[in-house]
Amino acid sequence: MSINHLEKANLVIVGGGVFGNSIAYHYIKNNPGKKVIVLERNELCNAATSRAAAMITKVRAKKQFIPLAQRTYAAIAEMEALLKESMAIKKVGIMYLASSSAKVNELNELARTADEFGERWEFLTPHQAERKAPWLNASTAEQIIFTPNEAYCDPYLLGTFYARSARLLGADIRQGVEVHDILVHENVVHGVVTDTGIIEADCVVIASGAWAPILAKKANVSLPLAPVRSQYWITERSELFPENSPMVVLPDVNAYLRPESGALLFGIRERKSIAVSPHNVPSDISDFQFSADRGMTDLAEVIDPLADFFPAVKDIGLKHYIAGFSAYTPDNYLSMGTSSSVKNILFATGCVGAGIAVCGGVGLAFAELAAGRANPFDFSAFSIERFGNIDPFSEEWLQSCARARSVKNSG
Ligand SMILES: Cc1cc2nc3c(=O)[nH]c(=O)nc-3n(C[C@H](O)[C@H](O)[C@H](O)COP(=O)(O)OP(=O)(O)OC[C@H]3O[C@@H](n4cnc5c(N)ncnc54)[C@H](O)[C@@H]3O)c2cc1C
């Protein structure tokens, strides 16, 4: 490593995924004239962000996520106006189908939550649901709820809209620059060491996704999250899958489905998820060999209950298998915020597979914290200290995070 120059910035953000870019956008928008630098070692949005199914789900059982996702929609509208370009998000809504009394109760609670946050919802009959999604068999559904104002998007476009908007407002966004170390003196962070030099900063935000525990350790912080595999499939095209049909969430099956350019994209929460130590995730995620065969084994375990709702799944051709790593926690709550032991460093991490949805609120929250102002959102449930003293690289920790994904059933 040759260190050849020294720079200064108000804020350095490590990681150019959807979180890092959203933070840069919100920070420079609210603090014009400040110097903010994003450092991404590959290309922007190359990792989890580009692989997402990109459902921007607002209405959720975890209420703390909802204002964050509402902020994502507001940020999209702002950036479309700023860049004079449409992101073409697909506002098709989500249909939730419950076929057991336990899940009916959960849907009723979800409807109450939607009311609480001013989000629209309505009941549908099985016939109405099947008319909206011709591939769907809703005959076993005891209750169906439709939230019409939910959308999905192109996640790469979302991440790069933030980056382009931030650049337009004055942010310095760099690709191909890796951060190797954090400068810490007497529990205060002063900057970062990159492969091209040292950058001193008033504040450093770690937004480096699945790899974040590695840099956190260099600042003496044990960051509680683990890279856990997420996966989905995309079918061949068929007239069964009109582009404007709603997304569908099946809580009884732990599956979600949405249209994808005339085909159907569907994901499952497999019975046994895979967690990997951050040290074993290659820095270029395309070098990681995700096993499509292992994915098919996972799918085979849930295909019968899935076929009750999606009868064509056993016959339709599967054209694509997509897998990637998201950062999970044992309780499926985000893992982000400040450390009580080290100053001037913030952790925008632990997305629990919901980072596309919550990126707007995450961006605003860290922009405000980095500027020394109060967080406008309640992050108490996301504290990076809530699990006590853990080792994020231990097998026991990795497995507890993997188990959390296996039981997760929200969109
Ligand atoms: C298959 C799949 C489906 C998903 N579906 C959804 C969905 O429907 N809805 C939803 O909300 N979310 C979904 N997600 C989750 C979503 O993709 C993530 O929550 C989100 O992309 C996290 O963004 P991030 O910026 O934290 O991480 P990333 O996009 O992984 O970005 C981290 C960046 O940090 C960079 N980096 C790491 N270390 C360094 C370093 N030392 N120096 C410089 N750069 C570094 C990496 O190269 C990377 O670009 C899905 C994820 C997957 C994998």
Side-chain angles (χ1 to χ4, degrees), residues 316-366:
I316 198 98
L318 299 179
K319 286 283 185 193
H320 303 282
Y321 170 66
I322 312 286
F325 285 110
S326 286
Y328 275 80
T329 61
D331 61 6
N332 269 321
Y333 277 85
L334 305 168
S335 179
M336 52 176 60
T338 54
S339 157
S340 61
S341 55
V342 193
K343 303 287 168 235
N344 296 353
I345 187 165
L346 303 170
F347 299 92
T349 50
C351 67
V352 295
I356 302 299
V358 300
C359 63
V362 168
L364 177 59
F366 284 92

Side-chain angles (χ1 to χ4, degrees), residues 13-23 38-57 60 151-152 155 158 174 176-181 193-195 206-212 214-215 218 228-232 247 256 258 265 269 282-285 290 322-328 334 336 348-359 362 405 408 411:
I13 300 167
V14 187
V18 78
F19 279 1
N21 292 325
S22 174
I23 297 163
V38 176
L39 301 171
E40 166 55 52
R41 66 182 167 194
N42 299 310
E43 289 180 10
L44 294 178
C45 304
N46 72 95
T49 297
S50 279
R51 290 170 185 238
M55 291 168 65
I56 320 173
T57 310
R60 292 169 178 266
Y152 65 92
L158 176 58
R174 302 179 188 175
V177 181
E178 180 158 13
V179 173
H180 295 282
D181 207 352
V193 181
T194 77
D195 36 19
I206 304 298
S208 52
W211 300 270
I214 299 172
L215 281 181
K218 294 185 187 287
V228 176
R229 183 200 56 173
S230 303
Q231 56 185 352
Y232 60 78
M247 299 176 270
Y256 63 91
R258 70 158 175 82
L265 178 160
R269 312 295 179 203
S283 60
D284 183 343
I285 193 67
F290 289 100
I322 312 286
F325 285 110
S326 286
Y328 275 80
L334 305 168
M336 52 176 60
T349 50
C351 67
V352 295
I356 302 299
V358 300
C359 63
V362 168
R405 180 183 148 83
K408 175 181 161 183

